[in-house]
C-alpha cells in the first residue's frame, strides 16, 4: 500500500518541500527582524541614534 501511494504521488515531494522551505525562510526572516528591532530599541532606550547600517538592515528585511 505504501509503495502504491509513493508510486502515484512521488511528485508531491517537491511542492511540499518548497512549502516547508518557504515556511522556514519566513520564520528566519521574522527572527532577524525581531532581533534588529530589539537592537534598535536598545539604542533608543539609551538615548543614542542607531547606526545607519542597522536601519538599512531593517529596511532590507521588510520585503
Amino acid at each position: 500500500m505504501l509503495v502504491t501511494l509513493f508510486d502515484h504521488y512521488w511528485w508531491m515531494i517537491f511542492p511540499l518541500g518548497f512549502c516547508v522551505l518557504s515556511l522556514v525562510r519566513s520564520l528566519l526572516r521574522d527572527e532577524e527582524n525581531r532581533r534588529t528591532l530589539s537592537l534598535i530599541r536598545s539604542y533608543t532606550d539609551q538615548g543614542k541614534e542607531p547606526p545607519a547600517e542597522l536601519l538599512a538592515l531593517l529596511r532590507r528585511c521588510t520585503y
Side-chain angles (χ1 to χ4, degrees):
M1 177 169 157
L2 202 55
V3 172
T4 306
L5 188 66
F6 180 76
D7 283 342
H8 288 112
Y9 299 107
W10 63 269
W11 55 272
M12 288 294 289
I13 292 172
F14 299 105
L16 291 175
F18 288 132
C19 287
V20 168
L21 287 177
S22 177
L23 177 66
V24 168
R25 196 168 131 195
S26 177
L27 291 173
L28 289 175
R29 187 180 305 130
D30 183 55
E31 181 62 27
E32 183 180 6
N33 283 343
R34 287 178 191 269
R35 287 183 183 187
T36 304
L37 284 172
S38 174
L39 194 54
I40 290 173
R41 192 174 296 121
S42 69
Y43 272 102
T44 57
D45 287 346
Q46 296 172 8
K48 298 179 182 177
E49 182 71 25
E53 295 86 9
L54 196 58
L55 296 173
L57 179 65
L58 185 62
R59 280 190 214 105
R60 182 184 65 89
C61 292
T62 56
Y63 294 98

